[in-house]
């Protein structure tokens, strides 16, 4: 074996070893970031669920405190995933952001305060709109609770919000890869909307009939 060929093989061997070391360092960084963001996403989802439950009970102060906690967790999640595109676009990260958007929007609707925009909570439009689509289910629950209390005017206000959300969702006509499954979420929202409209209409007619009989 010539000296030059021996040197070339040695150089290849060194390069391979160097690539291996760099790969291990890179994968270690990705793994650590993934584990941290995975835990944060779970914390975000749990706190969002607690916030929505508190808002349903009318405990808006508690709900807002939980939202503020979620804001910090979501910020940490985004910062940790910086430089790791695969993590930034991971399903569990998007799910957490969607739940964050849902909790923020529902609190605004239930409390009657200003609805934050996507940039206000540092969330992309796909996650935000998917979160809005799930708010329709929470608004249905709110309407049914109001029906039991004979608060029809409140029901109609929430029904109007549901209509506005659905009108927005059906106007977004882009591939699923861009909107992250929004079309499917919109189809589910439509079914919830129509059932709620039927329940509300029936209740209003029943109330009118009772007034006439009285």
């Amino acid at each position: 074996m010539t000296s030059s060929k021996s040197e070339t093989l040695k150089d290849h061997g060194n390069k391979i070893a160097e690539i291996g070391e760099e790969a291990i360092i890179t994968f270690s960084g990705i793994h650590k970031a993934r584990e941290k963001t995975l835990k944060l996403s779970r914390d975000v989802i749990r706190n969002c669920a607690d916030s929505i439950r508190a808002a349903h009970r009318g405990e808006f102060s508690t709900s807002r405190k939980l939202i503020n906690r979620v804001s910090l967790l979501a910020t940490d999640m985004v910062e940790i995933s910086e430089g790791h595109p695969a993590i930034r676009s991971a399903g569990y990260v998007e799910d957490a952001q969607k739940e964050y958007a849902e909790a923020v929007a529902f609190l605004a609707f239930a409390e009657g305060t200003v609805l934050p925009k996507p940039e206000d909570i540092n969330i992309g439009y796909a996650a935000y709109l998917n979160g809005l689509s799930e708010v329709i289910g929470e608004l249905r629950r709110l309407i049914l609770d109001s029906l039991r209390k004979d608060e029809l005017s409140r029901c109609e206000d929430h029904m109007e919000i549901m209509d506005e959300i659905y009108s927005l969702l059906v106007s977004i006509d882009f591939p699923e890869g861009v909107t992250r499954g929004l079309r499917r979420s919109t189809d589910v929202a439509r079914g919830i909307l129509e059932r709620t409209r039927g329940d509300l209409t029936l209740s209003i007619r029943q109330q009118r009939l009772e007034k006439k009989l009285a």
Side-chain angles (χ1 to χ4, degrees):
M1 183 179 293
T2 63
S3 176
S4 59
K5 187 174 182 180
S6 178
E7 288 296 324
T8 300
L9 288 174
K10 183 178 180 181
D11 182 59
H12 286 332
N14 290 336
K15 285 293 183 182
I16 290 171
E18 183 181 338
I19 290 169
E21 291 174 359
E22 290 174 351
I24 290 172
I25 293 172
T26 299
F27 289 146
S28 294
I30 294 173
H31 177 66
K32 288 179 181 178
R34 180 183 180 279
E35 290 300 306
K36 288 180 180 178
T37 54
L38 189 57
K39 182 182 183 303
L40 286 169
S41 70
R42 290 168 179 161
D43 291 341
V44 165
I45 291 172
R46 184 180 67 256
N47 281 279
C48 284
D50 290 342
S51 172
I52 289 172
R53 281 193 289 269
H56 273 297
R57 295 191 298 267
E59 299 170 0
F60 300 129
S61 177
T62 299
S63 180
R64 189 160 298 283
K65 286 179 182 178
L66 289 164
I67 288 295
N68 291 337
R69 185 184 304 169
V70 169
S71 176
L72 297 175
L73 294 170
T75 299
D76 288 344
M77 189 170 61
V78 170
E79 290 178 352
I80 291 171
S81 63
E82 286 291 343
H84 301 294
I87 294 177
R88 190 72 182 270
S89 61
Y92 60 86
V93 172
E94 291 186 344
D95 285 344
Q97 292 179 331
K98 178 183 66 176
E99 295 296 322
Y100 181 22
E102 179 187 1
V104 167
F106 180 67
L107 175 59
F109 297 144
E111 191 179 22
T113 52
V114 177
L115 174 66
K117 298 174 70 175
E119 55 266 30
D120 295 331
I121 56 177
N122 195 26
I123 288 181
Y125 280 96
Y128 188 90
L129 292 179
N130 275 286
L132 269 186
S133 73
E134 297 200 356
V135 171
I136 286 182
E138 298 301 335
L139 287 173
R140 170 177 168 76
R141 178 182 165 188
L142 205 59
I143 286 174
L144 294 178
D145 287 342
S146 296
L147 282 176
R148 284 191 286 270
K149 300 173 185 175
D150 291 326
E151 298 174 348
L152 287 183
S153 61
R154 191 177 183 217
C155 292
E156 291 173 339
D157 290 341
H158 293 319
M159 192 73 220
E160 185 175 341
I161 293 172
M162 291 174 74
D163 281 327
E164 291 290 340
I165 293 173
Y166 181 70
S167 296
L168 168 62
L169 297 178
V170 295
S171 71
I172 307 298
D173 187 19
F174 292 93
E176 291 289 88
V178 175
T179 61
R180 316 302 289 179
L182 184 62
R183 188 172 302 165
R184 183 175 61 255
S185 300
T186 301
D187 289 340
V188 173
R190 181 178 61 217
I192 296 172
L193 178 65
E194 292 308 317
R195 288 198 304 274
T196 307
R197 194 189 309 281
D199 292 337
L200 182 56
T201 300
L202 183 62
S203 182
I204 290 173
R205 287 177 177 174
Q206 183 177 351
Q207 188 182 71
R208 287 173 179 171
L209 178 60
E210 288 173 354
K211 286 182 179 180
K212 287 182 179 180
L213 292 174

